[in-house]
């Protein structure tokens, strides 16, 4: 059974930093691209960042470029999102999502975690 | 940047009725389009990928069509559990992904 379990969310002040983790199990982690998707309270879905299966290529939305860094440790079956220079508008539930296409770059998501809430507030 | 526009924002229907949801891309995305269903307090669930392929375990009443810039998700006969928010999502050639704004299907 595929499982994705996010952790690391919490309350942080504007300008602060936070690192999210996503522990994956139940599939061959190093064969799939992975992504982070967020959802602000009462709003729609926003793709944040994606990373290729081996970690050699990363992709990010313009809204987080230069502030967020996605990475993975295939030896630990774990996906990360390092967030810095956080803004109030980054407040959201952050979901870890497994790519379904089995290609190197992110495409669509067949499994999702339950999410971790990040609140940016003073 | 490719923008996805979903319409209508809200669709008010009754169980047993047919639902037709639209997703329009600002430029061609070929068939690189997926649809998701999200219920309150839950993570999204994949329904359709490659514009028309049902994901594993998705009932046959859900179908997707379209290519290029115009796509449709059809629910042939609404069940009570189908009332939710639906999102389309695309992949660009340069690796960026994007979601549409969503359509809420309500009773």
């Amino acid at each position: 059974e595929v499982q994705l379990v996010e952790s690391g969310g919490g309350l942080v002040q504007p300008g602060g930093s936070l690192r999210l983790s996503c522990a994956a199990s139940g599939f061959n982690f190093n064969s799939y691209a992975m992504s982070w998707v967020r959802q602000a309270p009462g709003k729609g879905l926003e793709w944040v960042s994606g990373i290729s299966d081996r970690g050699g290529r990363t992709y990010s939305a313009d809204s987080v470029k230069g502030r967020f860094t996605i990475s993975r440790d295939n030896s630990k079956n774990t996906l990360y999102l390092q967030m810095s220079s956080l803004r109030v508008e980054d407040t959201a539930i952050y979901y870890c999502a497994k790519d379904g296409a089995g290609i190197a770059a992110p495409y669509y998501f067949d499994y999702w975690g339950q999410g971790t809430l990040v609140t940016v507030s003073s | 940047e490719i923008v996805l526009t979903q319409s209508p924002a809200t669709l008010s229907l009754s169980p047993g009725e047919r639902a037709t949801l639209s997703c329009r891309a600002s430029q061609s995305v070929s068939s690189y389009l997926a649809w998701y269903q999200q219920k309150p307090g839950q993570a999204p669930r994949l329904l359709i990928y490659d514009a028309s392929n049902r994901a594993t375990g998705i009932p046959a009443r859900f179908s997707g069509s379209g290519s290029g810039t115009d796509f449709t998700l059809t629910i042939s006969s609404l069940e009570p559990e189908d009332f939710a928010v639906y999102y389309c999502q695309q992949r660009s050639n340069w690796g960026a992904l994007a979601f549409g704004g969503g359509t809420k299907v309500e009773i």
Side-chain angles (χ1 to χ4, degrees):
Chain A
E1 178 192 5
V2 172
Q3 285 197 318
L4 300 170
V5 180
E6 301 95 337
S7 60
L11 175 63
V12 60
Q13 291 188 335
S17 298
L18 210 57
R19 189 176 85 154
L20 306 183
S21 299
C22 172
S25 61
F27 66 101
N28 193 0
F29 184 70
N30 62 13
S31 294
Y32 292 90
M34 298 290 293
S35 283
W36 290 96
V37 177
R38 68 184 180 184
Q39 187 167 35
K43 302 297 184 182
L45 300 172
E46 180 187 16
W47 174 78
V48 174
S49 290
I51 188 167
S52 62
D53 52 355
R54 304 301 174 92
R57 299 200 70 171
T58 62
Y59 312 85
S60 291
D62 288 344
S63 59
V64 305
K65 270 180 186 170
R67 301 189 300 122
F68 291 10
T69 302
I70 189 171
S71 63
R72 65 192 295 164
D73 185 338
N74 285 351
S75 69
K76 295 182 179 179
N77 288 356
T78 303
L79 177 72
Y80 303 99
L81 185 68
Q82 179 67 49
M83 305 185 293
S84 60
S85 302
L86 282 161
R87 305 168 180 167
V88 171
E89 55 265 34
D90 294 320
T91 295
I93 296 173
Y94 284 73
Y95 294 102
C96 165
K98 170 189 170 292
D99 197 83
I103 60 175
Y107 173 11
Y108 61 85
F109 312 116
D110 59 352
Y111 289 94
W112 298 65
Q114 282 306 301
T116 186
L117 177 62
V118 172
T119 303
V120 184
S121 174
S122 54
Chain B
E1 178 190 354
I2 300 176
V3 176
L4 296 179
T5 302
Q6 291 188 241
S7 62
T10 303
L11 197 53
S12 298
L13 296 169
S14 299
E17 289 192 297
R18 182 184 189 90
T20 303
L21 288 66
S22 173
C23 177
R24 178 163 291 179
S26 58
Q27 57 185 281
S28 177
V29 298
S30 185
S31 294
Y32 296 130
L33 192 102
W35 289 93
Y36 301 85
Q37 175 194 69
Q38 188 180 33
K39 297 179 181 178
Q42 295 184 16
R45 177 175 72 145
L46 176 69
L47 299 175
I48 301 286
Y49 64 94
D50 287 345
S52 61
N53 293 318
R54 270 191 304 277
T56 302
I58 301 303
R61 64 180 182 273
F62 291 92
S63 64
S65 63
S67 66
T69 60
D70 289 294
F71 300 87
T72 301
L73 175 69
T74 302
I75 311 172
S76 59
S77 178
L78 283 164
E79 296 287 341
E81 61 268 27
D82 299 336
F83 292 91
V85 180
Y86 293 83
Y87 295 95
C88 58
Q89 174 248 315
Q90 60 84 15
R91 173 180 83 100
S92 70
N93 288 336
W94 51 93
L97 307 181
F99 289 90
T103 291
K104 182 178 182 180
V105 178
E106 64 176 23
I107 298 176

